[in-house]
Each structure stands twice: as C-alpha cells, then as structure tokens.
Amino acid sequence: MALTIPLFHRPGSILFLDDDTDYLDMLGLVIPTHWQVELFSRPSGFSSRMQQEPARWEADAMVQLQMLERWRQGQPLLPQILRYWAVNPSRYQLVKTCVVDYAMPGTDGLKVLNTLLDWPGSRVLLTGQADEQIAIQAFNNGLIDQFVPKQTADITRHLLGVLRKLMHAPHPRLNTLWRSALQPSQQSLLQIPSVAQALQAFTSQNWVEYVVVGEPFGLMGLDAAGGCHWLQLEPTSSLGDLAELAGSAGLGFDMIRAVQAGQQLAAVELHQQLGLAGPIRTAPAFGLGEDKLITGAVFSLDTGDLPQPIYGYRRFLDAEGHRVVQDN
C-alpha cells in the first residue's frame, strides 16, 4: 500500500496563464490571500518565469538528498531540517502547479505545458466545451494532472478544490527520498487510512510546512508565521519503552507512569538531538486513528531552541507579495 500523506510538504507558487485578462483579474480577487500566486496573460512571460524551474527543483532535491546522506553517516536529521528552513526561504518560490488555458492566440495550453521538460510539478489545463475531448486524451496520456472545463458550474470553487488537492498530494520523488528515513514498521503505521487522515487533518489545520522523520518518529512542522513545532509519534505498543527511556533521562515516577499509560509523552530524543536546555519536556498525549495504534503529543519550540531564526511563509508573503501579475 502506498503512503497517502506527503512525507515532505511545503507551500510553493501557483502560476496561471490565460490570455483573458478579465478572467485573471477575477482569479486575483477570489484566490486565498495566503497562496503565492503569479498571473500571466502571455506565454512569453510565463515561459521566461518557468525556464529555470527544473534546475531550481533539482538543486533543492540535491540539498534534501545531502541531508539524508549525512543522516546515514550519523548526523541527526532534526537540526539539519531546522537549518534548511532557516537558510532557504527561496524554497517558497518553487512552482508547484501551473494552470494554463487551452485556447490562446497563436498556441494552445498543451503546447505550452509540453515545453516544461523535466519540471516535476502539477499541470492543470483550463478548457472550453470544444476542447474537452482533447483534455480527456491528454489526461489519459499523462500529459496533465487535471483539467477544468471553464463552463463548469461554480468553476471558481471547483478550481480551488482541484488546486488544494494537488497542493496536498504526495510528491513522488520527494516521498521516495524521505521514505528512506522511516523504518518499515513506521511506514506501515502511516499507511493506516485513519492514521493518515488524522495526520492530514492536523497538519492542514496547524502547519504550512512539515517533514516526517523516523529518528525520532514524528513530524517537524512550521506554521505560517515561522513557529516551529514537533509532533512526536509513538507506537502505542511501545509506550513502555518510552517510559523506560524517560526514567533513564531523569523524569519522576509519576511522569513515567503517565507516559506508560499513554497520558503524556516525553520528548527525550528531541531534547538530545537539538541540545535543548533544562529538563526533558513532556506534553499531553492523544491517540491517532480509529484503533489508536499511534500516540502523539505536540511540543512547541521557541526562538531560543532553534539554531537560527526561521524565515516563515507569512513573512515571505509580506516581503514578496502574495501574487505577481506579469504581462509581457
């Protein structure tokens, strides 16, 4: 069974190309303001923006691969992830999805999308009624990920729903990379549908970005303001082992019993990897999924816990503008 949650998730840019400037203006009004969107009315401007995207994606994937290689050589992942977030605000500019109108003067949307060689993002085609069969064939041939007929009733809500689904879909290459940081038993737990749904609900409600790791088992996430949080995951069957580890780390008898009973979790490995000051942190525990096979707890990290301040997505939007209109 394939993993249905992204193991490495972050926001990115959505590019629209449509020669109908009135339609672009409408999109600019209805698209959520926390999305990074760029609107183009001419293929030349769109193509210029996309020219270097494959190389940018490849460079970013190489940074992630190097993190995992260092982890295999003994360097913990969590400090590396925090450093990656702190020094790479340009990751938010990577284009995740392109939405292109099919019918345009002198060209068509499929031709434009076919120029995006080696770009690993999602492709959406906007079509008129006469173009629908072309879009169906392109979808069946794997040339596009979705198509949206412009004559669809309530097209705006439908299009936004498609984009949300694509934004939260696992990226095949990145999921393959980060899957190597999980043990087979951890992968099996994440494949349980109710567990995956619970994690998807939690991350979408609380974070804009996160990474799933196996040592320790959990998710390191960022909220829109750049606040950093750790969602620790423990197989419920292994709470006794965590209680023993908590005891060896100096926690008291009452807390050890609470950990063993699944009422509290202790962030022993988080404390060790990040070199946190003070006593081992604990947090109230909760079960994930229908069968509660995983127990979780959330720990928030403040600025003093981090190697350097993290450039959050909200700050990026404030600095860069949440949408850029290009017409060249």
Side-chain angles (χ1 to χ4, degrees), residues 14 16 23 32 35 96-100 122-126 139 144-149 152-169:
I14 304 172
F16 288 85
Y23 186 72
W35 290 10
K96 293 188 71 173
T97 304
C98 287
V99 184
V100 178
S122 303
R123 296 160 167 80
V124 178
L125 192 66
L126 297 175
F139 177 79
I144 58 175
D145 296 281
Q146 293 284 342
F147 67 92
V148 178
T152 301
D154 200 0
I155 180 177
T156 300
R157 185 172 67 175
H158 178 62
L159 177 58
L160 293 182
V162 167
L163 294 176
R164 286 190 183 95
K165 183 177 179 180
L166 291 173
M167 281 192 291
H168 292 283

Side-chain angles (χ1 to χ4, degrees), residues 1-195:
M1 184 184 299
L3 287 166
T4 58
I5 64 169
L7 301 179
F8 182 95
H9 172 75
R10 63 168 169 233
S13 293
I14 304 172
L15 267 57
F16 288 85
L17 171 62
D18 195 316
D19 65 296
D20 184 344
T21 55
D22 291 336
Y23 186 72
L24 289 177
D25 288 340
M26 182 275 293
L27 287 173
L29 294 174
V30 301
I31 290 173
T33 56
H34 62 278
W35 290 10
Q36 171 66 14
V37 176
E38 301 177 37
L39 309 174
F40 295 84
S41 63
R42 298 183 183 178
S44 57
F46 173 87
S47 298
S48 177
R49 170 66 173 87
M50 290 297 296
Q51 186 175 7
Q52 298 300 321
E53 278 302 294
R56 295 189 185 106
W57 271 87
E58 189 62 31
D60 184 76
M62 183 57 63
V63 171
Q64 296 176 49
L65 181 61
Q66 290 169 348
M67 283 195 285
L68 290 164
E69 288 295 333
R70 288 192 291 267
W71 166 70
R72 293 186 185 94
Q73 295 168 11
Q75 294 187 32
L77 270 175
L78 296 185
Q80 294 190 69
I81 292 168
L82 293 177
R83 283 194 296 270
Y84 168 79
W85 282 341
V87 303
N88 289 285
S90 61
R91 66 191 185 277
Y92 295 138
Q93 294 176 322
L94 292 170
V95 179
K96 293 188 71 173
T97 304
C98 287
V99 184
V100 178
D101 188 27
Y102 178 77
M104 291 181 289
T107 188
D108 64 62
L110 277 180
K111 291 180 180 177
V112 173
L113 290 174
N114 286 339
T115 65
L116 306 180
L117 300 176
D118 299 323
W119 171 66
S122 303
R123 296 160 167 80
V124 178
L125 192 66
L126 297 175
T127 65
Q129 190 167 4
D131 313 319
E132 192 163 336
Q133 289 303 314
I134 295 173
I136 292 173
Q137 184 175 357
F139 177 79
N140 290 337
N141 291 337
L143 301 177
I144 58 175
D145 296 281
Q146 293 284 342
F147 67 92
V148 178
K150 279 190 170 182
Q151 66 272 16
T152 301
D154 200 0
I155 180 177
T156 300
R157 185 172 67 175
H158 178 62
L159 177 58
L160 293 182
V162 167
L163 294 176
R164 286 190 183 95
K165 183 177 179 180
L166 291 173
M167 281 192 291
H168 292 283
H171 188 280
R173 182 181 181 188
L174 299 184
N175 254 34
T176 298
L177 280 177
W178 286 93
R179 193 173 182 136
S180 66
L182 297 171
Q183 300 172 13
S185 61
Q186 295 169 340
Q187 296 178 29
S188 297
L189 288 170
L190 296 177
Q191 288 170 347
I192 298 172
S194 62
V195 171

Side-chain angles (χ1 to χ4, degrees), residues 15 25 47 63 120 134 162 169 196 223 246 259 263 270 310 312 315 317:
L15 267 57
D25 288 340
S47 298
V63 171
I134 295 173
V162 167
D223 59 32
V259 170
Q263 299 167 346
L270 176 74
I310 291 175
R315 182 180 160 203
L317 294 182

Side-chain angles (χ1 to χ4, degrees), residues 200-320:
Q200 287 173 332
F202 178 88
T203 55
S204 63
Q205 291 169 10
N206 295 282
W207 298 340
V208 297
E209 187 169 12
Y210 67 85
V211 183
V212 183
V213 298
E215 295 179 1
F217 188 26
L219 290 76
M220 186 69 81
L222 291 179
D223 59 32
C228 189
H229 313 272
W230 168 246
L231 172 56
Q232 184 162 319
L233 302 179
E234 296 289 342
T236 304
S237 61
S238 301
L239 289 175
D241 296 335
L242 179 62
E244 184 177 342
L245 182 63
S248 65
L251 292 182
F253 180 70
D254 289 343
M255 183 57 66
I256 293 171
R257 289 184 60 184
V259 170
Q260 192 163 17
Q263 299 167 346
Q264 296 275 326
L265 290 188
V268 180
E269 292 173 286
L270 176 74
H271 188 96
Q272 293 170 344
Q273 283 202 16
L274 298 185
L276 300 179
I280 300 296
R281 301 179 189 188
T282 61
F286 53 88
L288 281 90
E290 294 174 355
D291 298 324
K292 311 302 181 188
L293 296 177
I294 295 183
T295 300
V298 179
F299 300 82
S300 295
L301 303 174
D302 58 35
T303 303
D305 298 324
L306 307 178
Q308 57 193 103
I310 291 175
Y311 193 108
Y313 184 58
R314 176 58 61 188
R315 182 180 160 203
F316 169 80
L317 294 182
D318 291 343
E320 302 294 335

